[in-house]
Amino acid sequence: MRCPYCQHDKTSVIETRESDETIRRRRKCAHCHSRFTTYETARAPGLIVQDPLGSRRDFTQAWLAGALVVAGANLPGSALKKVAANVEAELKTRGNGVVSVVEVASTAVRELVQARTRSAARAALPTAEQVGAVLDAGFTASRQASEQLPLPIER
Ligand SMILES: [Zn+2]
């Protein structure tokens, strides 16, 4: 791992903090003695969603189901979970594991329509544009959050 300040390739770990999802290490450069932080997170091979500006995030079923609720999909939680699982399964068969917000939204709406048909309900459903707008808003929020991180991050 290279020092983010001087690019020297010898650094030492001076502190390690572990939480359930992340290991955070404070490191010190052997050359310029600068300190910086690295984060380790475990990653299962999964789907990546990319927004039109090129930002990426992991696809999770909870993320999509939550967005569908916000967008106004008026179906029971169990039905929305199933929709999210179906969307993930379908998108995983495409391309190289990276899908666009538009693909996620249009696939989700198709699955919502089928879920409504199965449940014989007459629930109002959002359009793909409405779902896409909610997903985009989530990207903006996470972009702002990551811009607030004060330390260089090594992934
Ligand atoms: Zn250095």
Side-chain angles (χ1 to χ4, degrees), residues 3 5-8 29 31-34:
C3 169
Y5 300 98
C6 76
Q7 309 303 317
H8 189 71
C29 173
H31 178 69
C32 72
H33 307 297
S34 296

Side-chain angles (χ1 to χ4, degrees), residues 62-154:
W63 170 68
L64 177 58
L68 293 177
V69 171
V70 174
N74 194 13
L75 291 172
S78 58
L80 292 178
K81 275 187 194 165
K82 178 95 172 105
V83 164
N86 288 349
V87 170
E88 181 173 30
E90 180 171 345
L91 293 178
K92 273 186 170 171
T93 65
R94 292 189 200 169
N96 55 0
V98 180
V99 293
S100 69
V101 169
V102 172
E103 282 179 283
V104 174
S106 61
T107 308
V109 168
R110 211 161 49 237
E111 288 291 334
L112 282 173
V113 171
Q114 289 178 13
R116 180 174 61 182
T117 304
R118 278 196 300 272
S119 68
R122 301 178 63 189
L125 297 178
T127 65
E129 286 72 23
Q130 287 167 329
V131 173
V134 173
L135 295 177
D136 277 337
F139 267 100
T140 307
S142 66
R143 202 157 37 233
Q144 284 164 350
S146 66
E147 279 164 6
Q148 286 164 3
L149 287 174
L151 298 163
I153 296 173
E154 169 87 23

Side-chain angles (χ1 to χ4, degrees), residues 27-79:
R27 292 175 181 266
K28 187 177 172 187
C29 173
H31 178 69
C32 72
H33 307 297
S34 296
R35 292 170 182 215
F36 60 100
T37 304
T38 58
Y39 298 88
E40 293 173 26
T41 49
R43 160 166 285 172
L47 268 182
I48 304 289
V49 186
Q50 184 165 316
D51 83 349
L53 296 174
S55 296
R56 293 180 166 204
R57 59 156 297 146
D58 293 328
F59 178 97
T60 64
Q61 294 179 16
W63 170 68
L64 177 58
L68 293 177
V69 171
V70 174
N74 194 13
L75 291 172
S78 58

